[in-house]
Amino acid sequence: MEITWVTERVALGGGIWNARNMEELAQSGITHVVNMHIEFDDRPLADPHGIRVLWNPTDDDFLPKPPELLKRGVDFALAALDDPAARLYVHCAAGVHRAPMMTLAVLCALDWQIDSAMQLIETRRPVVDFADVYVESVRHFLQTRVDNRVRGSHNDG
């Protein structure tokens, strides 16, 4: 199984598909999975290993993705990474479009600048193809996060 470590605790790649691959993930220290592909639910494979999975089925249709879709994955990832021992694997079927989009959103939520995060992801995993529409979906999601924080801070007073 091909796992690309983007940071020490965040990896991305293609589909898990079978019990042997899930076991390999567990042995590599993965504790949490964000599954972005619509084709296969990993949860039954993960249960025996105690790996927590968010199935966030996403069609690779090159259409804009709603902020809620990215928020689900980012919220799950940030909650997981609150534990210093957690290691996250973000995947889709091939690790080319959807998983890199979600990994980009996660890194940006961890205070990476979008261009630096894209460069890191592409350097570590050269097969990544950042579709413009998916990058714009991440930008839109990040803007909604900022807008919600601003709105929230105005309501605090």
Side-chain angles (χ1 to χ4, degrees):
M1 189 162 164
E2 185 186 335
I3 303 168
T4 301
W5 288 99
V6 178
T7 70
E8 286 185 16
R9 299 177 57 211
V10 177
L12 82 102
I16 298 169
W17 304 116
N18 60 55
R20 184 170 164 260
N21 288 341
M22 187 62 79
E23 184 175 338
E24 188 177 322
L25 277 182
Q27 290 171 348
S28 74
I30 297 295
T31 58
H32 293 76
V33 171
V34 176
N35 175 357
M36 294 297 292
H37 72 80
I38 203 166
E39 299 88 351
F40 188 82
D41 180 359
D42 299 326
R43 291 175 294 185
L45 297 176
D47 285 345
H49 302 283
I51 295 173
R52 299 219 26 228
V53 176
L54 170 69
W55 188 25
N56 203 12
T58 306
D59 202 356
D60 193 13
D61 54 9
F62 297 97
L63 294 174
K65 301 303 171 201
E68 300 77 31
L69 176 96
L70 295 168
K71 182 180 185 320
R72 265 193 309 275
V74 166
D75 287 351
F76 177 86
L78 294 180
L81 294 171
D82 273 347
D83 176 354
R87 297 180 90 184
L88 177 70
Y89 182 63
V90 182
H91 80 89
C92 53
V96 175
H97 296 126
R98 295 167 287 181
M101 172 185 66
M102 180 55 73
T103 303
L104 180 62
V106 169
L107 291 181
C108 290
L110 291 168
D111 294 328
W112 281 75
Q113 296 299 312
I114 195 164
D115 292 333
S116 300
M118 286 174 65
Q119 184 176 9
L120 175 68
I121 293 166
E122 289 172 321
T123 299
R124 299 279 164 91
R125 188 169 176 84
V127 298
V128 165
D129 176 27
F130 279 114
D132 290 342
V133 67
Y134 293 166
V135 173
E136 285 309 309
S137 295
V138 172
R139 288 185 198 280
H140 180 65
F141 160 71
L142 295 171
Q143 187 58 53
T144 63
R145 279 176 57 97
V146 168
D147 292 347
N148 288 338
R149 274 196 216 121
V150 168
R151 243 183 267 122
S153 69
H154 291 306
N155 292 338
D156 292 343

